[in-house]
Amino acid sequence: MKTTSLRIDTARLNRRLGELGKRGALAGGGVCRLALTDEDRAGRELVVGWMRELGLEVAIDRIGNVIGIRKGSQDGPPVVTGSHIDTVATGGLYDGNLGVLGGLEVIARLNEAGIATEKPLAVGFFTNEEGARFAPDMMGSGVHQGSMSLEQMLSTVGIDGCTVVDELERIGYAGDVPCGNFEAQAYLELHIEQGPVLEQEGTVIGAVTGVQGISWTEVLFTGTSNHAGTTPMSMRCDAGHAAAELTTFVRGLTREMGGAQVGTVGSIRLEPDLINVIASKAKLTIDLRNTDARKLVAAEQRFYAFLEEIAGKEGVQVEHRSLARSEPVDFHEEVIARVESHAQDLGHPVRRLPSGAGHDAQMFAPNCPSGMIFVPSAKGVSHNVREFTEAEHIEAGGNVLLQTLLELAG
Ligand code: HGY
Ligand code: MN
Ligand code: MN
């Protein structure tokens, strides 16, 4: 279907991004809206209010996913768009939020233009996409699309000792709509790239080809706390040193494997965490990712082997547990090609690229034609209070979203 003349109201979309960004605003700029916190509740209330103003029929499911549906001239499964509104603790205005508010902007423009689509349209925000407070990431959309168990996710304990089910109850978003088999006609998500590729190339639109595999592991080294001054080096069982060796190993592993392999140690917590005490415990997280499924398994196997090796050398105990694991996902050619052609019709430079970050879209991909639209991140920065995307890029992404959704919904 050719591109129509309808365009989004970019000023309104930017205003709403700013409004939502006030829920959990950090003093020096940026946003902290961790999943199921009071800030998340405030953001949810604001967005649900906008959904209702737009005449959407709002449903809240048992893991707190919120889906607003706009009827079509026909019944049947909706074309779904959306993303997440939870952020990491040092987040920005755009990660996730742009996809949800971009979807609402499309609805607003269709309402104003009096356009009815054949198929219903739905805009959703999914609980705990980030996984920063409660692992795994993409929890809400994973349950929504049947790849994660509702019961298991509800009982998940977060980094602060709270459970998902208690926090859902506490913020009033433990919905009663069953989840796990929501049928979507198609799924399309607008999102910032969160990397440097589009900006470096001067490309405005990314027609996303898929998402790389993700492997999160929590490791606990248990040594012996002892006096930092009196304990001979040969007698130490230093959990802190084991953690440092592992951190260095992860960086070396990515260098040796090269290609798309990335590895991050994002959190290290020592006990008792004191200047003159050899650490008895070290709890750390490892995030390994690769676009190639077999190489990701190879990286994991080398990582697990090293755990045993360093534990033996340092004389510490080691335990580990998986916090998240998803295979690489391919999006659907029919959706990717539509994003490309509308970007071209709208006069925007476009290219195909894989996503380095995980997204809710990857949970829909096994079940329906799915895809994503990327817009540039300034300096490739994200998961950082300095996250920024130019208004003209938001406009371009929003218009490609509008045109592609119109085509998918008929
Ligand atoms: O970790 C990720 O890739 C996403 O931001 N949850
Ligand atoms: Mn995101
Ligand atoms: Mn994110």
Side-chain angles (χ1 to χ4, degrees):
M1 181 176 105
K2 288 314 284 170
T3 298
T4 71
S5 59
L6 196 63
R7 297 291 181 268
I8 66 160
D9 177 341
T10 312
R12 174 169 57 193
L13 175 49
N14 259 321
R15 270 199 312 278
R16 285 187 166 165
L17 283 164
E19 261 311 296
L20 180 53
K22 288 179 187 153
R23 278 69 181 171
L26 290 166
V31 183
C32 175
R33 199 163 54 240
L34 290 168
L36 308 183
T37 57
D38 290 341
E39 294 76 17
D40 187 17
R41 169 173 39 197
R44 286 167 171 263
E45 301 300 331
L46 180 68
V47 176
V48 168
W50 285 333
M51 286 180 166
R52 294 214 161 97
E53 275 171 29
L54 289 167
L56 299 183
E57 197 184 306
V58 178
I60 303 171
D61 74 16
R62 291 194 54 202
I63 197 153
N65 296 317
V66 178
I67 310 285
I69 296 192
R70 181 181 197 257
K71 285 194 182 326
S73 52
Q74 297 167 1
D75 287 334
V79 170
V80 182
T81 188
S83 191
H84 60 96
I85 64 167
D86 65 299
T87 74
V88 294
T90 53
L93 288 183
Y94 308 93
D95 177 358
N97 307 308
L98 177 60
V100 178
L101 301 185
L104 292 186
E105 177 55 28
V106 168
I107 299 293
R109 293 298 293 126
L110 297 183
N111 289 351
E112 287 158 354
I115 293 176
T117 54
E118 273 171 31
K119 301 178 185 79
L121 266 175
V123 183
F125 60 82
F126 302 97
T127 297
N128 185 36
E129 186 278 345
E130 291 294 0
R133 183 184 181 201
F134 303 100
D137 53 356
M138 284 73 77
M139 182 185 277
S141 49
V143 171
H144 188 264
Q145 286 298 302
S147 60
M148 292 182 192
S149 133
L150 172 66
E151 301 315 324
Q152 198 185 339
M153 293 304 132
L154 289 175
S155 62
T156 300
V157 179
I159 55 175
D160 51 13
C162 299
T163 62
V164 166
V165 63
D166 288 351
E167 288 295 275
L168 274 172
E169 299 279 351
R170 187 181 67 80
I171 68 167
Y173 275 86
D176 49 12
V177 173
C179 42
N181 55 6
F182 184 103
E183 195 187 348
Q185 175 76 26
Y187 180 86
L188 179 64
E189 180 172 351
L190 170 62
H191 205 288
I192 52 173
E193 178 203 335
Q194 301 182 286
V197 173
L198 294 179
E199 183 183 63
Q200 280 172 357
E201 292 185 354
T203 307
V204 173
I205 297 292
V208 188
T209 53
V211 178
Q212 66 178 337
I214 302 174
S215 165
W216 286 2
T217 307
E218 180 187 81
V219 171
L220 176 64
F221 287 116
T222 305
T224 309
S225 67
N226 215 326
H227 195 294
T230 58
T231 312
M233 294 313 289
S234 61
M235 277 180 59
R236 296 186 180 211
C237 302
D238 183 344
H241 177 68
E245 289 264 18
L246 181 59
T247 304
T248 306
F249 169 80
V250 168
R251 177 58 65 90
L253 180 63
T254 60
R255 249 201 301 274
E256 271 172 55
M257 293 194 69
Q261 185 62 49
V262 290
T264 312
V265 173
S267 169
I268 300 181
R269 297 184 184 170
L270 300 182
E271 283 181 24
D273 201 20
L274 298 170
I275 186 165
N276 57 355
V277 180
I278 299 168
S280 57
K281 283 192 186 303
K283 183 179 277 187
L284 58 164
T285 60
I286 295 85
D287 177 325
L288 296 173
R289 307 193 194 200
N290 200 311
T291 50
D292 180 306
R294 282 189 339 292
K295 287 183 181 158
L296 184 56
V297 170
E300 286 174 318
Q301 283 165 348
R302 290 186 54 187
F303 161 72
Y304 295 138
F306 184 79
L307 289 184
E308 300 310 325
E309 185 189 320
I310 186 60
K313 258 169 61 181
E314 190 58 28
V316 298
Q317 302 298 315
V318 62
E319 304 157 59
H320 58 85
R321 68 187 177 111
S322 171
L323 294 179
R325 184 62 168 89
S326 51
E327 290 300 320
V329 161
D330 292 327
F331 289 138
H332 295 248
E333 178 56 31
E334 60 195 274
V335 181
I336 301 167
R338 284 191 165 109
V339 168
E340 257 177 342
S341 75
H342 285 300
Q344 284 154 355
D345 287 355
L346 287 164
H348 302 306
V350 54
R351 64 155 281 175
R352 294 185 177 213
L353 77 168
S355 172
H359 296 289
D360 295 310
Q362 72 187 82
M363 296 302 167
F364 282 81
N367 304 334
C368 69
S370 303
M372 293 184 76
I373 303 162
F374 272 175
V375 289
S377 290
K379 300 189 181 64
V381 164
S382 181
H383 284 190
N384 179 312
V385 296
R386 294 198 330 275
E387 182 181 277
F388 179 71
T389 292
E390 300 284 350
E392 62 181 297
H393 295 158
I394 289 174
E395 180 157 40
N399 283 324
V400 173
L401 179 71
L402 169 63
Q403 297 302 331
T404 313
L405 286 176
L406 265 181
E407 185 175 5
L408 291 168

